[in-house]
Amino acid sequence: MRSPSLHGHGCRTHEERARLDAQEIKTAVARQDAERAAAEPPFVNRRDPALAVGPDGRPAVSRRAPLWADIPDENWNDWRWQLSHRVNDLEEIEQVLNLTDEEREGLSAPDKFRVDITPYFISLIDPDDPNDPIRRQVIPLGREQQAFTAMMEDSLAEDRHSPVPGLVHRYPDRVLMLVTTQCASYCRYCTRSRIVGDPTQNFNRKDHEAQLDYLRRTPQVRDVLISGGDGLTLAPKLFESILRGLREISHIEIIRIGSRVPVFLPQRIDDELCATLEKYHPLWINLHFNHPNEITPEVSRAVDKLTKAGLPVGNQSVLLAGVNDCVHIQRALVHRLVENRIRPYYLYQCDLVEGSGHFRTPVGKGLEIMEGLRGHTSGYAVPTYVIDAPGGGGKIPVMPNYLISYSDHKVVLRNYEGYITTYEEPPTYDRHDEASCRFCQSQRAEPGQSGVLGLLEGERMWIEPKGFSEIHTRGNTEAHRLQDPSKWVPFGVGAIEGQAQAAGQLRVLEGGDPAPPVAPPSAATPPAVAPPSAATPPPKPEYGPGEEPRPRDGEPTGSAHGELL
Ligand code: SF4
Ligand SMILES: [Zn+2]
């Protein structure tokens, strides 16, 4: 306690002194904290692959083939240098890898699909291992030239389903936009080997303009996937002009980039590119890794930049014999992907495309892999296994069966361990009220493509193959006494069948026609179920070209514009 005499001198009051003491204590504590923090090493997240360091304490780097040992880092890390120093013939490749006879044969084939490999990517290959999984993806074998049953040049009929060159409009609301035929390196199993790598087939500004023009005229498209080839190999200004052209179309909601550049040429993902990409959100990117060996420190840093620029990153792999046809390789791959914040998206069955015969596996291998992923690892790490339909039907998901059986009130399910359980169904269910749901009332048109959902939603009762009715009349062109068309009109379902039977054949619906404007929601229309009657003539259809007749808003499917005869 201080001497009261001090008070008598009137220098400081007791309260003042206490306040100053408290301040001093505070300052001293803050100083101590700062000193302690300075003495402690800064926190380093060792699990973040983008921060991996090498033995020298600098950012980790992957192997570089001895051929390029003397190249300054400045060049090696420059994507333009990598692109202009790609290797593409037997002599060059032989300086990096010890080639087998079959590889020599493949590299010498006169009409082979283009070979071009970045120095970075070929350096990842073990020069002495003929089965190296990266090697198998980019070094041709003599077998590549062999034909196989069902092989096609364009097995997905992409060029057939493109209204303008390079724009594939297969699904109702999204398109594939091929902007170049060039890639950073070339995959031997490429689905688009018919045009990819061939500069004479390349797309120019005029093609891009035609693609954009189609999109401006097609408001049903809300999602554009930029692919090729690989858009990220384009000159930066040209690529940006495409992004801008797309963003000027108001009905395009999301843009996706499909690219293998971060795999072959991670140096390309620089700050400048990311700053450009950021301007065009919402933007997604899907990469293409097939094997864990492809995920290097350079890749981790590139993907880190993409995610920091706000792009969700996904991956699609192709199931390839001799590369990744193994549950455990796939598991390692998906684990490496999610560690790098890349979401496994698709695992593709290898397409029936020329050159890919020796890469194909039975579908059962894919199912076995899915069996080994689902439940055995994080749901986030499990891709969807798909077969891209030969002939152009789009991706069809396939998976092991988990639903074992069912009754009218129970389903029997099994899990990944073989545990079998039952799910008791609700005894009653208040069905969703479409009439009062504003999403049901303002749904997007899917002209001619409502498919099985259209069956479920009561738009129609069945789907017939083209020519089905003609074949089944067996040459009888006039209806006989038992053939009253009203017999095959399902009461309360859909619109088109009754009319189709009366007219003798189904109207052929074509996708891709401009979507008619969506009618405003109206829950007020009174229900009007008209019983079938062959005497009433069909009113003029109220739907646009390519659109399927639908019940009016709020109207039960039974009346369906009065088209049920
Ligand atoms: S990156 Fe894609 S488009 Fe290019 S060669 Fe490989 S699979 Fe084909
Ligand atoms: Zn294995």
Side-chain angles (χ1 to χ4, degrees):
M1 185 142 185
R2 292 180 189 282
S3 160
S5 65
L6 281 175
H7 295 176
H9 292 288
C11 302
R12 290 175 183 162
T13 64
H14 180 74
E15 290 75 22
E16 262 177 340
R17 186 64 243 172
R19 187 170 56 79
L20 287 172
D21 282 354
Q23 245 173 21
E24 273 167 28
I25 291 167
K26 237 191 205 167
T27 314
V29 168
R31 196 186 313 122
Q32 265 179 4
D33 281 352
E35 280 169 6
R36 197 178 307 123
E40 272 176 15
F43 173 71
V44 180
N45 178 2
R46 303 241 171 256
R47 282 308 309 176
D48 184 348
L51 300 177
V53 289
D56 57 0
R58 298 173 56 204
V61 290
S62 47
R63 179 186 176 274
R64 197 192 291 194
L67 179 66
W68 295 292
D70 297 332
I71 300 298
D73 287 353
E74 196 187 323
N75 291 353
W76 183 259
N77 295 326
D78 176 349
W79 63 272
R80 290 184 175 87
W81 183 92
Q82 287 282 340
L83 273 185
S84 58
H85 289 79
R86 286 181 291 181
V87 291
N88 49 44
D89 65 15
L90 202 153
E91 288 70 34
E92 280 179 320
I93 292 173
E94 211 159 24
Q95 292 180 55
V96 185
L97 307 176
N98 297 318
L99 295 174
T100 64
D101 287 347
E102 202 190 353
E103 286 173 330
R104 279 171 211 284
E105 188 195 337
L107 283 163
S108 314
D111 294 329
K112 64 181 177 303
F113 176 54
R114 180 164 167 182
V115 175
D116 240 337
I117 313 163
T118 56
Y120 158 81
F121 198 64
I122 199 171
S123 290
L124 303 179
I125 298 174
D126 177 346
D128 300 316
D129 179 7
N131 298 319
D132 181 286
I134 291 184
R135 181 176 186 140
R136 291 282 48 83
Q137 294 180 57
V138 289
I139 306 290
L141 294 176
R143 265 176 284 174
E144 194 175 291
Q145 305 296 321
Q146 283 170 12
F148 60 91
T149 303
M151 173 182 100
M152 282 174 264
E153 194 185 335
D154 177 11
S155 70
L156 308 181
E158 290 184 331
D159 292 341
R160 195 171 55 177
H161 295 161
S162 53
V164 295
L167 197 92
V168 185
H169 189 171
R170 190 185 322 279
Y171 303 99
D173 65 345
R174 53 206 184 275
V175 296
L176 169 66
M177 184 177 180
L178 306 179
V179 296
T180 176
T181 60
Q182 306 300 293
C183 294
S185 300
Y186 293 91
C187 317
R188 307 320 302 164
Y189 52 86
C190 178
T191 295
R192 297 195 190 108
S193 53
R194 67 187 185 280
I195 51 169
V196 162
D198 182 350
T200 68
Q201 299 287 327
N202 213 346
F203 303 100
N204 55 27
R205 280 178 188 272
K206 220 174 115 206
D207 294 315
H208 299 151
E209 192 38 53
Q211 295 171 342
L212 290 169
D213 187 51
Y214 175 83
L215 292 171
R216 283 183 208 111
R217 290 184 282 114
T218 315
Q220 75 192 71
V221 176
R222 46 162 283 281
D223 173 1
V224 175
L225 169 57
I226 300 176
S227 185
D230 200 318
L232 292 185
T233 61
L234 287 178
K237 276 202 162 56
L238 177 56
F239 186 65
E240 183 168 6
S241 74
I242 294 169
L243 288 176
R244 189 172 312 143
L246 289 171
R247 273 287 161 249
E248 281 165 1
I249 304 173
S250 60
H251 57 263
I252 291 174
E253 295 167 7
I254 60 165
I255 302 171
R256 291 186 275 166
I257 300 169
S259 175
R260 229 190 161 191
V261 156
V263 185
F264 291 139
L265 185 65
Q267 298 79 3
R268 175 70 187 94
I269 311 301
D270 55 15
D271 294 338
E272 196 187 332
L273 175 72
C274 290
T276 301
L277 296 177
E278 266 180 348
K279 289 193 267 173
Y280 299 97
H281 278 311
L283 198 58
W284 295 58
I285 192 164
N286 214 31
L287 311 181
H288 174 174
F289 294 95
N290 289 322
H291 193 279
N293 288 8
E294 294 163 340
I295 304 175
T296 63
E298 288 87 347
V299 162
S300 295
R301 290 192 290 269
V303 172
D304 187 54
K305 281 183 193 291
L306 289 170
T307 53
K308 283 182 174 147
L311 283 90
V313 184
N315 184 66
Q316 53 192 46
S317 304
V318 182
L319 177 53
L320 300 166
V323 175
N324 58 15
D325 52 337
C326 159
V327 172
H328 305 285
I329 292 175
Q330 291 284 349
R331 236 188 248 179
L333 172 63
V334 297
H335 288 167
R336 293 285 287 134
L337 289 170
V338 292
E339 209 180 10
N340 282 276
R341 286 173 284 153
I342 307 171
R343 168 80 156 99
Y345 181 47
Y346 282 133
L347 172 64
Y348 280 92
Q349 177 66 13
C350 189
D351 289 325
L352 297 169
V353 69
E354 288 176 2
S356 69
H358 60 294
F359 284 118
R360 298 197 310 125
T361 64
V363 172
K365 175 51 79 174
L367 291 172
E368 179 193 338
I369 287 168
M370 295 312 293
E371 190 70 72
L373 293 179
R374 173 65 63 199
H376 294 270
T377 190
S378 336
Y380 259 139
V382 181
T384 304
Y385 175 42
V386 291
I387 301 177
D388 220 335
K395 287 175 272 295
I396 300 173
V398 277
M399 68 172 98
N401 277 336
Y402 293 98
L403 186 59
I404 294 178
S405 194
Y406 33 79
S407 71
D408 62 359
H409 66 107
K410 217 184 264 282
V411 294
V412 184
L413 305 137
R414 63 102 176 165
N415 82 343
Y416 70 102
E417 296 166 288
Y419 172 78
I420 295 180
T421 188
T422 53
Y423 180 82
E424 185 70 31
E425 304 262 46
T428 58
Y429 167 56
D430 291 337
R431 284 171 69 172
H432 177 66
D433 180 13
E434 292 173 23
S436 65
C437 169
R438 81 185 159 84
F439 294 93
C440 284
Q441 294 303 320
S442 58
Q443 56 186 283
R444 293 181 82 93
E446 296 192 328
Q449 291 193 283
S450 63
V452 175
L453 180 65
L455 297 179
L456 295 176
E457 292 194 334
E459 271 181 29
R460 47 172 61 199
M461 184 82 178
W462 54 76
I463 297 174
E464 297 180 359
K466 199 172 173 184
F468 179 87
S469 297
E470 291 89 329
I471 286 173
H472 289 262
T473 57
R474 308 289 173 200
N476 175 30
T477 51
E478 297 217 354
H480 58 64
R481 66 184 176 82
L482 296 178
Q483 291 178 328
D484 175 354
S486 67
K487 286 185 177 177
W488 306 292
V489 176
F491 177 68
V493 177
I496 201 161
E497 291 79 13
Q499 188 192 28
Q501 292 297 326
Q505 64 177 52
L506 269 174
R507 188 168 71 91
V508 176
L509 300 169
E510 285 167 21
D513 293 338
V518 176
S522 157
T525 316
V529 180
S533 154
T536 320
K540 203 169 166 294
E542 291 174 5
Y543 43 89
E547 196 199 10
E548 296 187 33
R550 304 176 64 83
R552 284 194 195 91
D553 300 319
E555 190 178 53
T557 57
S559 73
H561 303 200
E563 277 149 10
L564 296 184
L565 299 177

